[in-house]
Amino acid sequence: MSEGHVYTAYHPRWLRQRISTYWWLEKPAYLAFILREASCVFVAWFVVYLLLLVDAVSGGAAAYAQFLAWSADAPILLLNVVSFLFVVFHAVTFFDAAPQAMVVHVGQTRVPGHLVLAGHYAAWAAVSVFVAWLLASGQ
Amino acid sequence: MGERIRLQVARYRPEQESEATFDEYEVPCPKDWVVLDGLNHIKDRIDGTLAYRWSCRMGICGSCGMTVNGEPKLTCATFLADYAPGPVRVEPLRNFPVIRDLVVDIGDFMRKLVKIKPWIVRQAEKPLADGEYLQTPQELEEFKQYSMCINCMLCYAACPIYGLDPKFLGPAAIALAQRYNLDNRDDGAGARMATLSEHEGIWGCTFVGECTQVCPKHVDPAGAIQRYKLSAAVESMKSFFLPRGA
Ligand code: SF4
Ligand code: FES
């Protein structure tokens, strides 16, 4: 078996099947994949937004008030709602994938996938509760 | 034999045409007939020129993979009655060049398979007198799932990444590399690493996940790839942070 293809008079005339530019619309799973890939843009936006928030907070009360007013603008609000939905989609699909990528052993036995998944959600819940507590206690 | 179903079968006759066309045939559809039975009926009774591959007709040999109504399927394990009232569209496996009708060229996969050394690699064989290499059920469990692969290539047909970039090593080859990497009798992980960690190796995969969905043997190639990515990342972190030779 040689590398590459040697064309001889007797080489079969292959039919190359083309992939359509819209292949990602062919199956719901492909579309979900493309949306998950696209979600990284929104994740990046949230990072930028967070940095802007930090910058506003460090800029004093006036800067913070201005930031809040800007955030309440319809386009920014809409962008943030859409970003939030994408980030949740990203997180959920990421967690769903975790049991496939992580094989955890306790002693000799392999931890079943749904427990690995449950562990991820538990960690998410714990962090959320912690953040909520931080916010509530800061009031 | 009351029920009948129409099969729309892709034909490609390289000596006559440069594009695929569809021929339509009506075949019986008893409830225990699979798509392959329909094709065999066509070949035996209606049109002997139809070309397709099959052998075991029991989901073992992996040679009867085709695209059935747009999905990669083992035609010997896909029941016609599930598609009633039809018609059923039968096409060659996607992402491979078609030689004739439903027959694709699988040379690309075969070359990739050899690259990952799908056999047990030993640094040193132990003396015969020491007896056989023993393995516990737990050790077997580590890789057994990956050893179920029958090289049917449905996963390659489902993978848009392979379709777009045929250099990608692909799902089954990586799952089979893991089958040996995770075998406690094998010492070949280092030798396979070069091929697996190439850009067209595991990192080519963007985790569409369809390979796992279509696999008739529950091999979960997508899982195998992500698992390997995770361990490769951990390894490179270790070599970065820990002193050499640790
Ligand atoms: S991993 Fe599954 S779909 Fe892919 S070749 Fe092996 S058995 Fe077929
Ligand atoms: S004929 Fe062997 S797997 Fe279908």
Side-chain angles (χ1 to χ4, degrees):
Chain A
M1 278 190 290
S2 65
E3 206 62 45
H5 313 299
V6 185
Y7 284 86
T8 67
Y10 304 108
H11 189 278
R13 277 210 320 161
W14 281 341
L15 174 68
R16 291 281 181 182
Q17 307 183 82
R18 288 194 176 282
I19 289 218
S20 137
T21 315
Y22 303 103
W23 62 267
W24 44 279
L25 290 174
E26 277 169 19
K27 274 190 194 180
Y30 291 167
L31 183 62
F33 160 71
I34 286 292
L35 289 178
R36 195 173 73 229
E37 293 286 288
S39 68
C40 68
V41 176
F42 297 97
V43 173
W45 160 247
F46 265 8
V47 172
V48 172
Y49 185 77
L50 190 68
L51 291 176
L52 290 177
L53 170 70
V54 170
D55 183 52
V57 170
S58 65
Y64 182 58
Q66 201 187 359
F67 179 81
L68 286 186
W70 174 73
S71 300
D73 258 5
I76 301 295
L77 198 62
L78 184 70
L79 176 63
N80 278 342
V81 168
V82 172
S83 299
F84 177 73
L85 293 178
F86 266 99
V87 169
V88 168
F89 178 68
H90 188 102
V92 168
T93 49
F94 187 88
F95 283 7
D96 280 352
Q100 249 177 314
M102 289 175 70
V103 175
V104 186
H105 286 99
V106 173
Q108 287 276 15
T109 46
R110 189 168 162 171
V111 179
H114 59 267
L115 286 186
V116 175
L117 185 61
H120 277 75
Y121 277 102
W124 190 10
V127 171
S128 301
V129 166
F130 176 69
V131 171
W133 171 79
L134 264 190
L135 290 178
S137 64
Q139 290 282 327
Chain B
M1 260 199 212
E3 295 290 310
R4 299 181 75 80
I5 196 164
R6 277 180 303 133
L7 293 190
Q8 296 170 339
V9 183
R11 305 296 307 264
Y12 168 62
R13 308 166 183 92
E15 67 287 354
Q16 290 170 20
E17 53 204 10
S18 55
E19 285 299 322
T21 51
F22 282 90
D23 279 352
E24 201 165 294
Y25 307 94
E26 206 183 60
V27 301
C29 178
K31 69 175 189 324
D32 58 347
W33 268 36
V34 289
V35 175
L36 183 61
D37 290 318
L39 295 176
N40 284 339
H41 179 89
I42 295 170
K43 182 134 181 130
D44 292 346
R45 311 276 175 96
I46 311 175
D47 183 350
T49 66
L50 181 64
Y52 54 98
R53 281 202 188 100
W54 67 288
S55 176
C56 71
R57 50 114 186 92
M58 53 193 285
I60 296 297
C61 72
S63 58
C64 69
M66 295 169 211
T67 309
V68 180
N69 276 6
E71 293 283 332
K73 293 278 184 192
L74 286 184
T75 48
C76 69
T78 304
F79 287 89
L80 279 174
D82 291 341
Y83 295 91
V88 185
R89 204 162 242 254
V90 187
E91 296 164 89
L93 272 188
R94 298 253 162 89
N95 299 342
F96 291 96
V98 183
I99 299 176
R100 177 179 208 90
D101 297 344
L102 301 166
V103 179
V104 293
D105 186 284
I106 59 173
D108 182 54
F109 172 67
M110 288 311 191
R111 281 185 290 272
K112 284 173 179 163
L113 193 55
V114 178
K115 270 202 198 164
I116 56 100
K117 303 189 199 306
W119 53 81
I120 287 182
V121 175
R122 296 284 309 172
Q123 298 298 6
E125 291 290 347
K126 64 179 188 179
L128 215 51
D130 288 358
E132 53 280 82
Y133 295 95
L134 297 177
Q135 195 160 57
T136 66
Q138 283 92 344
E139 284 164 340
L140 172 65
E141 208 47 51
E142 280 304 302
F143 66 84
K144 186 166 174 217
Q145 176 185 21
Y146 304 132
S147 74
M148 305 308 279
C149 175
I150 57 171
N151 300 357
C152 66
M153 289 164 300
L154 299 193
C155 49
Y156 283 76
C159 175
I161 305 305
Y162 178 63
L164 294 166
D165 178 10
K167 288 210 216 67
F168 174 42
L169 191 54
I174 302 178
L176 282 164
Q178 281 291 67
R179 178 254 171 269
Y180 290 94
N181 282 343
L182 297 171
D183 188 321
N184 66 314
R185 299 164 297 181
D186 177 86
D187 302 324
R192 290 185 199 101
M193 176 86 126
T195 306
L196 288 172
S197 59
E198 273 176 6
H199 180 67
E200 285 91 17
I202 47 168
W203 305 111
C205 168
T206 48
F207 205 178
V208 181
E210 272 300 284
C211 50
T212 292
Q213 298 304 320
V214 300
C215 176
K217 292 288 162 184
H218 309 290
V219 170
D220 188 10
I225 301 174
Q226 310 323 310
R227 226 179 133 175
Y228 194 79
K229 278 185 191 166
L230 198 65
S231 53
V234 169
E235 279 307 311
S236 75
M237 286 297 229
K238 269 194 204 156
S239 67
F240 191 73
F241 287 113
L242 296 180
R244 232 165 249 267

